[in-house]
Amino acid sequence: MSPVDRWAHANRWRRLHPLQKTVFAAALGGSAFVFPTPVAAIIPVIAGLFLRYGAGIPIRAFLRFMALPLSFLSLGAIPLLVQVQPSGFPLVWSMDGIPGWWIGVNGEGVRTAVTVWVRALAVTSSMYVLALTTPVPDLVDMLRRLNVPEILLEVMHLMYRYLFILMEMAQQTYVAQSSRLGYRSWSRSLSSLGRLGAALAVKSRLEVEDLYRALISRGYRGRLTVLPPPWAVCLKTAAWMGAAVVGLAVAAWLVGRRLHG
Amino acid sequence: MDKPTFALEGVEYNYEDGTQALQGISLGIESGKKVAFLGSNGAGKSTLFLHLNGILRPFRGRILFRGQEVRYARKELARLRAKVGIVFQNPDRQVVIGHVWEDVSFGPMNLGLSPPEVEARVEEALNITGLWDLRDKAVHLLSYGQKKRVALAGVLAMKPEVMILDEPTASLDPGQVHALLELLERLHRQGIQIVLSTHDVDFAYAWADWVVIMHAGRVLAEGLPKDVFSDTDILKRASLTKPVLWRVWEELNKTGLYDGGPPRTVEELSAPIARAAADRRPTFG
Amino acid sequence: MDKPTFALEGVEYNYEDGTQALQGISLGIESGKKVAFLGSNGAGKSTLFLHLNGILRPFRGRILFRGQEVRYARKELARLRAKVGIVFQNPDRQVVIGHVWEDVSFGPMNLGLSPPEVEARVEEALNITGLWDLRDKAVHLLSYGQKKRVALAGVLAMKPEVMILDEPTASLDPGQVHALLELLERLHRQGIQIVLSTHDVDFAYAWADWVVIMHAGRVLAEGLPKDVFSDTDILKRASLTKPVLWRVWEELNKTGLYDGGPPRTVEELSAPIARAAADRRPTFG
Amino acid sequence: MVRWVILVLLMAFWLPRQAYAMHIMEGYLPLGWCLFWAVLCLPALILGTRSLQKQAGDNLKMKLVLALSAAFAFVLSALKLPSVTGSSSHPTGVGLGAVLFGPMAMSVVGCIILLFQALLLAHGGITTLGANTFSMAVVGPTVSYLVFRVVHKYGFGRGVAVFLAAALGDLSTYVTTSFQLALAFPAPIGGVAASFWKFASIFAVTQVPLAVSEGLLTVIMVNWVMKY
């Protein structure tokens, strides 16, 4: 159900220390906020290259992952592009809407839309560097070392396991309902889905007892502790990562000089 | 009714993650036959079954139901699903929530029948599955075996022409399996065609008119039980074993003492054995 | 090691809703024996197993582990659970962490072992169950059979003295059952005692040293397989059938042609049959 | 006026999947606003964590109820609503939980759900986690919770109370999100107010019908759950 999760478990960076990946992703993402737009535009390319040549995730898969946010984003940028203004102010293109108001596009809007568009794309691709290479359990273990309260970690661990179990339940139930014509029309769909949701709620409540037994029988003693698999920091990869970030900074400096100098 | 119930022609299906679940399935299911699909877990049986009821749509190839190609428009799918019912392996996924009665009425309601008609069908389905006394119980409080029967009743109440059962005997105890078989026999006599999947070679051997062996998304063999189970090679490739009675028969055959064909039940074994013994006694006498 | 692994004395247990799950169970499980619990669904096998690992506490009666009464203080329970591991029927109810390696490490971590020791145990358990290559996989991406092995590995990594398996063969295909049996045999040779429950009389008959038959919360019979399965009456009351090979043997026996005891495998059947055939041929010659 | 309506409708068709982007997506907000909303959520998260620790810290079963409720809410949010557009943002699952554990505790759980959605489904984002937590895990559930209490107290039936709680929870989330966007991107003329009406009227097209179906769905669900 989550292709992101599938890659997170099957990539070449699987054993790379999650902290190393997190720092790199954060540095890339941070760069997108602080560096000028033309530099931020390079970030998705860098992310794609690291995923391809570092983690071994094909460019095509990366592009597919980018496509969905890209479509959200392109649509999400439209409201930024379009301005609604009291009449009398110049717009690049305009039409009359509500009497006394103008709807249209102007330079300011175009600038904002492009900035946000590029930035969002850059940050999204940086986050994929982390999400596509690091499964949630690894992140939870990392958070443990950062002293996040135990109860949250426990909830995250169990939630991760169980959301897939519940999702599978939901999917199978949906299929079974469809085979009995449960989704023939809008009203039947609503009623079938209501049943499905309710059943899921009841079943997840019943699941508590089984989960309790499972934990107890395996010696649970008040804390959910696991041993994360051995991770390693890779210096060579770290050097490449550092070089990329430095490269971005240099580019930002050059662009800045060009603009101000 | 001469047309085959199902004809599949080169059906291919891949899952989202790229797994090739069905790799070109071609087969025919003759009308009126009791058909068993055998194969290991992951062989593609369940995926195939989801195609028979139009839940999944083949990437390539086509499926014919009674000679007509299955189309995936809303209305035509509804018609197909009204005729072909599926009972899933895990009743917990099929029996959703509510009273037994409410759950069984789900299908007939969706068929758009009048309330009295729905009621009549639910009653009949509950009676035939022996659930009448449980009709007002909440489904999640039932035992596993009872839920399995509710799942069956829910499909029966739609009066399908074909019933497809995915691993109907899984997790049932011998008594429950016996009761299920009796029920299936009864449905068969009423003219509902039964198609099922199973891991249990002994069961498939004793029950089926026609056996299909699947492995890794392909059909390895189909035919009469006596033909399919004589092919040691295919069974090995599908990681299946021969039925116990078949193996016993092979042992008996080696000795030349046994003159019958492969027996499907222990009872069928006894007559030839008795004959062999009778043959023998005079030689001593 | 002479003391019985478990001794139960008049164990009674009721569920919250008042169902009497165990109605006075007394039995002993001898050390080193391969024990199979047989019985229909709802007979009380799973409830009984939950008692052996201290998850449920009897209302009345007591349980002795290696001659010592089980006490329900935190520490003593922890000690019991370190020695008695239980593998539930449904691996989704057992595997609590979404990552294979981490889930297997959960039990050993709870034992308070040092990280290198935990790592060594996890590695060993993953190797013995053939999961090493899957160690970094997400549990939800595994097949049912693989999940079942993860559940087993998670218990194995705790190095229990006794392993209790609830319906280990349910929903497995013949190939998977075969692999499981080999694994259990290996564990048995390593000195881990195996206790399991099953519906499959043929399997129990072929595998077990000691069979316990349960029905409606009581023990109907316990004993050597050859003794238990000769009691038609008890089997009928427990709604179990006789093993196929046993029935074949009965048929053969009637004829007087067969001189062996009840065979546990088809292979055991062949020698006496060959003898019978050899006896016969001269009379024709 | 007619043209205005047409334009908004067209936008709605361009934004078909924006429906589940009641989540503000990754990188959409400027850094300052990302931090602002994160900091604003912090007190609720800290208090929520404390209250969770108190309620469930030593109680394994409570912890399990919590984890499973969270998993349930996540799955519910991923189910497609049989509506014109996509699935909904579902503060409802969290709203249901609020009744169980109190709104503070649920804001923490809501935040975890949003984190999982960002990581696993690429809905929302890490940088916008604060803003999304504020609208969907603080405002939405709190409104749902309060509406339910008030309406129920004044003697309306459970159905009405549940419907209003779910629908108004949804709507309050969408109003909050529009406001957050307006603050970050004020119109050059007319400022935050003009920008707010711009965002709000675009989202209204998808969110109002969604809020209605969400409300109906929740009523159906709650009815079934209460029966058993």
Side-chain angles (χ1 to χ4, degrees):
Chain A
M1 99 191 216
S2 164
V4 180
D5 179 71
R6 208 172 287 133
W7 275 113
H9 284 277
N11 67 83
R12 287 207 304 253
W13 277 2
R14 182 66 184 75
R15 287 291 177 131
L16 200 61
H17 202 293
L19 205 56
Q20 185 181 356
K21 291 181 273 190
T22 308
V23 169
F24 180 53
L28 279 187
S31 306
F33 283 101
V34 294
F35 293 157
T37 304
V39 178
I42 315 171
I43 292 177
V45 179
I46 295 181
L49 289 176
F50 270 86
L51 285 173
R52 170 65 185 83
Y53 295 102
I57 295 169
I59 295 286
R60 195 190 289 180
F62 173 66
L63 290 180
R64 244 197 325 265
F65 281 116
M66 288 301 287
L68 192 67
L70 190 68
S71 66
F72 283 173
L73 180 59
S74 305
L75 301 165
I78 294 170
L80 297 177
L81 203 64
V82 176
Q83 301 291 340
V84 184
Q85 294 185 353
S87 48
F89 290 90
L91 288 163
V92 173
W93 169 81
S94 66
M95 58 183 272
D96 60 317
I98 307 170
W101 286 75
W102 290 83
I103 301 161
V105 176
N106 65 11
E108 171 91 21
V110 173
R111 249 193 312 282
T112 316
V114 169
T115 309
V116 170
W117 193 82
V118 170
R119 182 177 66 214
L121 221 53
V123 182
T124 303
S125 64
S126 325
M127 287 311 147
Y128 272 137
V129 169
L130 182 65
L132 285 173
T133 58
T134 319
V136 171
D138 280 22
L139 291 175
V140 177
D141 291 325
M142 191 183 72
L143 291 176
R144 166 166 283 129
R145 294 179 193 190
L146 302 176
N147 285 325
V148 169
E150 196 66 35
I151 184 145
L152 302 185
L153 301 175
E154 243 171 290
V155 168
M156 283 196 224
H157 254 317
L158 294 172
M159 185 185 158
Y160 176 73
R161 172 79 183 108
Y162 270 80
L163 70 87
F164 288 102
I165 291 183
L166 292 181
M167 190 57 98
E168 198 186 2
M169 271 189 196
Q171 260 161 3
Q172 291 177 347
T173 305
Y174 182 88
V175 163
Q177 285 180 320
S178 321
S179 85
R180 287 161 78 193
L181 298 170
Y183 294 90
R184 271 182 98 169
S185 62
W186 185 80
S187 61
R188 285 201 179 103
S189 296
L190 204 62
S191 125
S192 297
L193 202 64
R195 281 179 165 209
L196 192 158
L200 219 53
V202 169
K203 277 169 191 167
S204 43
R205 192 69 187 76
L206 294 175
E207 206 79 1
V208 168
E209 194 58 38
D210 289 316
L211 181 53
Y212 178 77
R213 283 182 185 165
L215 286 167
I216 290 295
S217 79
R218 295 176 65 189
Y220 178 90
R221 283 197 283 186
R223 268 188 66 180
L224 191 76
T225 45
V226 295
L227 184 72
W231 293 320
V233 172
C234 174
L235 290 178
K236 198 178 141 204
T237 314
W240 279 104
M241 289 171 168
V245 177
V246 170
L248 282 173
V250 170
W253 179 68
L254 288 175
V255 170
R257 215 172 53 162
R258 173 70 81 68
L259 288 180
H260 302 292
Chain B
M1 293 286 275
D2 270 336
K3 282 184 188 139
T5 310
F6 287 105
L8 279 73
E9 299 173 0
V11 170
E12 288 179 29
Y13 187 81
N14 299 348
Y15 276 111
E16 267 174 42
D17 60 0
T19 327
Q20 293 190 299
L22 300 181
Q23 311 192 32
I25 300 272
S26 296
L27 60 83
I29 293 179
E30 271 180 63
S31 179
K33 288 253 168 78
K34 297 193 278 187
V35 182
F37 280 73
L38 267 170
S40 53
N41 282 325
K45 306 185 298 288
S46 303
T47 310
L48 182 64
F49 282 5
L50 290 175
H51 279 82
L52 299 184
N53 163 283
I55 299 271
L56 295 182
R57 186 177 178 163
F59 281 14
R60 215 163 280 143
R62 53 187 208 145
I63 296 168
L64 292 95
F65 176 65
R66 305 219 186 282
Q68 286 216 309
E69 188 171 341
V70 172
R71 306 215 168 272
Y72 297 85
R74 215 167 239 254
K75 275 202 174 165
E76 306 206 33
L77 270 185
R79 227 174 300 153
L80 176 69
R81 288 179 188 161
K83 288 182 184 163
V84 180
I86 299 195
V87 181
F88 293 89
Q89 173 172 1
N90 186 345
D92 275 327
R93 303 292 168 268
Q94 178 155 1
V95 174
V96 179
I97 197 168
H99 291 144
V100 171
W101 177 284
E102 282 166 332
D103 190 85
V104 174
S105 67
F106 180 76
M109 292 282 272
N110 290 332
L111 285 174
L113 302 170
S114 68
E117 173 68 14
V118 171
E119 202 170 314
R121 285 189 175 201
V122 173
E123 260 192 60
E124 193 188 335
L126 289 176
N127 276 322
I128 206 169
T129 48
L131 288 167
W132 182 250
D133 294 336
L134 298 174
R135 66 191 178 280
D136 284 333
K137 273 234 178 184
V139 287
H140 66 269
L141 297 177
L142 301 179
S143 73
Y144 187 86
Q146 289 167 335
K147 278 187 219 169
K148 200 115 185 176
R149 274 190 285 156
V150 175
L152 229 145
V155 173
L156 263 182
M158 294 176 80
K159 299 217 169 172
E161 297 172 10
V162 186
M163 263 179 98
I164 295 176
L165 299 99
D166 199 0
E167 298 282 350
T169 60
S171 302
L172 294 185
D173 62 46
Q176 290 169 331
V177 170
H178 184 76
L180 176 76
L181 282 181
E182 276 188 352
L183 177 58
L184 292 185
E185 205 48 48
R186 210 161 135 194
L187 298 177
H188 174 70
R189 278 197 306 270
Q190 285 181 14
I192 298 177
Q193 182 169 14
I194 310 285
V195 175
L196 55 79
S197 70
T198 181
H199 290 141
D200 186 338
V201 280
D202 297 305
F203 164 67
Y205 175 58
W207 176 81
D209 296 330
W210 192 258
V211 173
V212 181
I213 294 192
M214 287 186 69
H215 181 65
R218 297 175 196 282
V219 171
L220 284 192
E222 55 169 332
L224 297 173
K226 72 179 168 61
D227 297 330
V228 170
F229 287 112
S230 58
D231 194 331
T232 316
D233 193 46
I234 292 239
L235 291 175
K236 195 171 278 172
R237 271 171 60 203
S239 28
L240 296 170
T241 49
K242 284 198 179 179
V244 174
L245 281 176
W246 188 287
R247 286 161 63 208
V248 166
W249 170 75
E250 284 179 343
E251 291 297 330
L252 291 172
N253 239 8
K254 279 189 207 156
T255 64
L257 287 176
Y258 186 91
D259 62 355
R264 291 175 74 173
T265 60
V266 174
E267 288 69 36
E268 278 182 41
L269 194 73
S270 59
I273 288 185
R275 267 205 301 284
D279 279 357
R280 189 173 182 196
R281 234 167 270 128
T283 61
F284 276 122
Chain C
M1 293 285 277
D2 271 332
K3 281 179 185 146
T5 310
F6 287 104
L8 280 73
E9 298 173 0
V11 170
E12 288 181 28
Y13 187 82
N14 299 346
Y15 274 112
E16 272 169 36
D17 61 359
T19 327
Q20 292 190 300
L22 301 180
Q23 311 193 30
I25 301 274
S26 296
L27 60 83
I29 292 179
E30 270 179 64
S31 176
K33 288 254 169 78
K34 296 192 280 186
V35 182
F37 281 74
L38 267 169
S40 54
N41 283 325
K45 305 186 297 291
S46 304
T47 310
L48 181 64
F49 281 5
L50 291 174
H51 280 82
L52 299 184
N53 167 281
I55 294 181
L56 296 182
R57 189 179 175 160
F59 281 16
R60 215 164 280 141
R62 55 185 205 145
I63 295 168
L64 292 93
F65 175 66
R66 305 219 185 284
Q68 287 216 306
E69 188 169 343
V70 172
R71 307 215 168 272
Y72 295 85
R74 211 170 237 254
K75 275 201 176 169
E76 307 208 32
L77 271 184
R79 228 173 303 153
L80 175 70
R81 286 176 190 153
K83 288 180 183 165
V84 181
I86 182 163
V87 181
F88 297 105
Q89 175 172 359
N90 185 346
D92 276 336
R93 299 287 111 74
Q94 173 139 16
V95 178
V96 290
I97 308 289
H99 175 251
V100 173
W101 172 285
E102 293 192 349
D103 183 77
V104 175
S105 77
F106 173 68
M109 285 297 274
N110 289 332
L111 292 176
L113 303 170
S114 69
E117 172 68 15
V118 172
E119 207 177 312
R121 285 189 175 200
V122 172
E123 271 188 31
E124 194 189 332
L126 289 175
N127 276 320
I128 207 170
T129 48
L131 286 169
W132 183 249
D133 293 337
L134 299 174
R135 67 191 179 281
D136 273 335
K137 284 266 178 208
V139 172
H140 54 266
L141 297 179
L142 302 181
S143 72
Y144 185 85
Q146 290 168 336
K147 279 191 231 176
K148 201 115 184 177
R149 277 190 282 153
V150 175
L152 231 145
V155 173
L156 264 182
M158 295 178 79
K159 299 216 170 176
E161 297 173 8
V162 186
M163 263 181 95
I164 296 176
L165 298 100
D166 198 1
E167 299 283 349
T169 60
S171 300
L172 295 185
D173 62 47
Q176 291 169 329
V177 170
H178 184 76
L180 176 75
L181 283 181
E182 277 189 352
L183 177 59
L184 293 185
E185 205 48 47
R186 211 164 134 190
L187 299 177
H188 175 70
R189 278 198 306 270
Q190 285 182 14
I192 300 176
Q193 181 168 15
I194 310 285
V195 175
L196 54 77
S197 71
T198 181
H199 290 142
D200 186 337
V201 279
D202 297 304
F203 164 67
Y205 175 58
W207 177 82
D209 297 329
W210 193 257
V211 173
V212 182
I213 294 190
M214 289 187 67
H215 181 64
R218 295 176 199 280
V219 171
L220 283 192
E222 54 169 332
L224 298 172
K226 71 180 170 59
D227 297 332
V228 169
F229 287 113
S230 59
D231 194 331
T232 316
D233 193 45
I234 293 246
L235 290 174
K236 195 172 279 171
R237 271 172 60 204
S239 30
L240 296 170
T241 51
K242 285 197 180 180
V244 175
L245 281 176
W246 189 287
R247 286 160 63 208
V248 168
W249 170 74
E250 284 179 344
E251 291 298 330
L252 290 173
N253 240 8
K254 279 190 208 156
T255 64
L257 286 176
Y258 186 90
D259 61 355
R264 290 175 75 173
T265 61
V266 175
E267 288 68 37
E268 279 183 39
L269 194 72
S270 58
I273 288 184
R275 267 204 301 281
D279 280 357
R280 190 174 182 193
R281 234 168 271 128
T283 61
F284 274 123
Chain D
M1 193 65 197
V2 175
R3 277 194 181 178
W4 173 248
V5 171
I6 291 173
L7 189 70
V8 170
L9 274 175
L10 278 177
M11 287 249 184
F13 277 104
W14 292 331
L15 298 175
R17 311 193 74 153
Q18 193 74 6
Y20 57 99
M22 264 301 77
H23 299 81
I24 301 174
M25 72 169 291
E26 189 83 276
Y28 198 85
L29 292 180
L31 193 57
W33 287 108
C34 294
L35 294 174
F36 174 81
W37 295 112
V39 170
L40 199 68
C41 288
L42 220 51
L45 294 180
I46 291 173
L47 289 177
T49 307
R50 283 223 189 114
S51 120
L52 280 186
Q53 246 151 2
K54 212 183 294 167
Q55 289 183 68
D58 297 320
N59 185 337
L60 177 54
K61 280 206 182 163
M62 277 301 258
K63 252 185 279 196
L64 300 182
V65 170
L66 198 64
L68 281 164
S69 312
F72 167 71
F74 180 98
V75 173
L76 200 64
S77 76
L79 293 179
K80 282 205 184 76
L81 263 188
S83 161
V84 265
T85 50
S87 65
S88 79
S89 56
H90 286 286
T92 315
V94 181
L96 286 176
V99 182
L100 224 61
F101 292 96
M104 277 301 184
M106 281 328 276
S107 70
V108 183
V109 175
C111 179
I112 295 179
I113 293 173
L114 287 167
L115 176 66
F116 274 53
Q117 287 181 328
L119 288 171
L120 295 172
L121 306 173
H123 292 178
I126 311 282
T127 56
T128 50
L129 191 60
N132 287 329
T133 301
F134 184 76
S135 67
M136 295 201 277
V138 178
V139 174
T142 308
V143 168
S144 287
Y145 182 70
L146 293 178
V147 167
F148 182 80
R149 292 232 133 168
V150 169
V151 175
H152 207 50
K153 199 173 144 196
Y154 284 97
F156 289 94
R158 197 185 58 221
V160 179
V162 168
F163 175 79
L164 287 177
L168 292 178
D170 237 19
L171 289 176
S172 67
T173 299
Y174 119 77
V175 170
T176 310
T177 306
S178 306
F179 185 62
Q180 287 172 322
L181 291 174
L183 278 177
F185 304 105
I189 299 143
V192 174
S195 184
F196 172 76
W197 287 115
K198 178 177 71 183
F199 284 111
S201 47
I202 292 168
F203 289 149
V205 183
T206 53
Q207 288 301 309
V208 172
L210 212 55
V212 173
S213 23
E214 172 96 20
L216 288 174
L217 182 68
T218 312
V219 172
I220 297 173
M221 258 174 53
V222 171
N223 278 345
W224 281 108
V225 173
M226 297 307 265
K227 247 169 107 177
Y228 299 98

